[in-house]
Amino acid sequence: MTAMASRGAIFAFGVALLLATHARAQVNVIKFGYSGDSGPDKWGNLSQEFAACSQGTSQSPVNILKEINGSVPYRKMMPVQGDYIDPNATLVNNGFNIALRFNEKVGSIFVRQKKHELVHMVWHTPSEHTIDDERHECMHEFPAELQLIHLSEDGGIAIVAILYKYGDDEDKLLLQFKDQLSQLAQQNCSSDQETHIPIGVLNTKALRRQYTKFWSYTGSLSTPPCTENVNWIIVGKIREISEDQVAALQAPLAAEYKNNSRPVQPMNGRSVFRYDLAKEKRITNGYYDDD
Ligand SMILES: *[C@@H]1O[C@H](CO)[C@@H](O)[C@H](O)[C@H]1NC(C)=O
Ligand SMILES: *[C@@H]1O[C@H](CO)[C@@H](O)[C@H](O)[C@H]1NC(C)=O
Ligand SMILES: *[C@@H]1O[C@H](CO)[C@@H](O)[C@H](O)[C@H]1NC(C)=O
Ligand SMILES: *[C@@H]1O[C@H](CO)[C@@H](O)[C@H](O)[C@H]1NC(C)=O
Ligand SMILES: *[C@@H]1O[C@H](CO)[C@@H](O)[C@H](O)[C@H]1NC(C)=O
């Protein structure tokens, strides 16, 4: 048991480091932002390492077309199941976003028959992915998006994105570290520093569900270095979050990072695939319901 746990910890730490140090090494030197001279349209020019941000042709986020012809039904896809344990977690202010990191191996999802381990999760406000309404009149953005970043053993990246709308229900995941989040806001963190606060064992019940309705496409990391070939899973069920919770996620961040969503990127001929177990055989009205 002890040996298993520590091997898991080393693995999770190793892959997290792979992703985190790569991003952080650049960030310490090259500061990217969400407006002005270091804004998203300039990322590709901030560093050679960020070239994919401007030269890439399959970037994220994207606008999802809700209309039936906006995506391709893909019957070979399988429900995505988050098989996670309740991990010992640390709340992190990366300067440009708020994240949770895990001090042990958390669990995995299978995407394209390959196992991908959860390494960390980040929040963006407002949402990065948008969903078009039926009449293509607006790209509807949501107040928040949670991204669960998974890595496969050979370095493949799969990200599950959960969109939030304002509602009466508070998000149960965020409720668990409400105090630590406000503690983080008390600390003065400039955008090139990171601060963390241990939160102990996190109940991941809210994430251990089976996703039977989602959109999937191939994109990139939505922050520099904008690495491509990322398998994105955009969960169809929109969850609820309170206005106070969104404010709490933004509070620890400097003004220029409170809105930390990259604008939607061109599709360049890419397809968005949709999977819906329940409606597989009876898509009659041509549209998705909201939940
Ligand atoms: C960005 O870099 C490319 C090539 O390195 C250059 O052609 C282009 O003018 C630069 N754009 C800006 C806005 O600096
Ligand atoms: C989808 O496309 C097909 C053929 O391209 C067309 O016949 C159909 O009316 C379209 N459906 C909707 C809902 O736009
Ligand atoms: C969680 O991890 C931290 C850092 O590794 C450690 O100090 C702490 O004791 C752990 N807590 C639990 C409940 O395992
Ligand atoms: C943070 O900075 C403010 C002023 O900018 C200062 O009043 C406050 O004491 C600082 N807090 C900490 C924890 O350093
Ligand atoms: C963030 O964006 C919203 C609109 O989406 C805007 O009302 C608000 O002023 C922005 N906040 C900052 C700090 O830029």
Side-chain angles (χ1 to χ4, degrees):
M1 177 63 203
T2 313
M4 283 278 289
S6 64
R7 199 163 57 231
I10 289 159
F11 173 79
F13 185 67
V15 284
L17 208 65
L18 190 89
L19 207 66
T21 48
H22 189 52
R24 188 147 306 103
Q26 314 305 331
V27 170
N28 279 338
V29 188
I30 304 135
K31 205 174 137 194
F32 69 87
Y34 287 90
S35 61
D37 287 347
S38 61
D41 56 331
K42 310 285 194 316
W43 287 353
N45 275 68
L46 297 177
S47 158
Q48 283 197 332
E49 304 283 332
F50 297 174
C53 300
S54 58
Q55 285 161 26
T57 53
S58 54
Q59 290 287 297
S60 292
V62 299
N63 178 44
I64 306 281
L65 295 174
K66 194 172 178 181
E67 188 215 319
I68 189 163
N69 284 358
S71 57
V72 183
Y74 195 64
R75 302 211 153 76
K76 283 188 192 142
M77 250 176 329
M78 301 286 287
V80 170
Q81 169 85 47
D83 278 321
Y84 309 124
I85 60 151
D86 288 341
N88 181 358
T90 302
L91 181 65
V92 180
N93 182 350
N94 283 316
F96 52 92
N97 60 29
I98 301 296
L100 276 188
R101 244 183 249 156
F102 308 111
N103 310 322
E104 58 190 318
K105 200 165 172 174
V106 193
S108 57
I109 54 170
F110 275 84
V111 175
R112 303 199 176 172
Q113 284 95 46
K114 208 184 277 177
K115 191 176 185 179
H116 290 73
E117 299 277 348
L118 179 62
V119 289
H120 63 226
M121 44 176 102
V122 303
W123 283 264
H124 289 271
T125 55
S127 71
E128 299 210 289
H129 289 87
T130 58
I131 298 183
D132 204 339
D133 71 355
E134 288 84 351
R135 295 151 306 193
H136 305 285
E137 274 168 7
C138 65
M139 298 191 302
H140 186 68
E141 81 182 13
F142 294 86
E145 176 171 336
L146 169 62
Q147 297 175 353
L148 312 181
I149 292 112
H150 302 74
L151 292 184
S152 65
E153 229 160 10
D154 57 3
I157 306 171
I159 307 180
V160 173
I162 297 169
L163 301 170
Y164 288 90
K165 63 182 175 189
Y166 287 130
D168 297 333
D169 285 346
E170 293 194 290
D171 175 54
K172 295 207 170 52
L173 198 67
L174 285 169
L175 261 187
Q176 294 179 58
F177 49 92
K178 190 179 175 184
D179 293 344
Q180 288 88 345
L181 205 47
S182 65
Q183 239 178 294
L184 210 55
Q186 309 296 311
Q187 301 183 357
N188 290 330
C189 176
S190 78
S191 57
D192 51 4
Q193 285 174 324
E194 68 156 60
T195 45
H196 21 81
I197 299 178
I199 60 169
V201 177
L202 181 78
N203 183 336
T204 58
K205 194 173 168 211
L207 303 172
R208 281 202 298 266
R209 47 174 40 240
Q210 192 184 47
Y211 300 114
T212 55
K213 185 169 118 176
F214 54 83
W215 291 277
S216 177
Y217 77 98
T218 304
S220 72
L221 296 180
S222 64
T223 51
C226 308
T227 312
E228 296 197 320
N229 282 317
V230 172
N231 284 307
W232 279 91
I233 306 286
I234 315 298
V235 175
K237 166 99 180 159
I238 312 296
R239 299 221 195 156
E240 290 196 353
I241 193 168
S242 71
E243 288 189 36
D244 284 349
Q245 288 184 309
V246 171
L249 278 171
Q250 293 178 321
L253 300 168
E256 61 173 310
Y257 294 100
K258 289 189 194 295
N259 283 355
N260 53 11
S261 56
R262 186 188 194 191
V264 295
Q265 303 293 305
M267 288 305 291
N268 294 325
R270 281 177 289 170
S271 296
V272 172
F273 298 97
R274 65 165 192 273
Y275 178 82
D276 187 340
L277 188 64
K279 288 191 189 163
E280 190 87 310
K281 297 191 180 75
R282 49 179 189 86
I283 299 173
T284 49
N285 64 359
Y287 302 105
Y288 272 108
D289 296 334
D290 268 326
D291 52 29

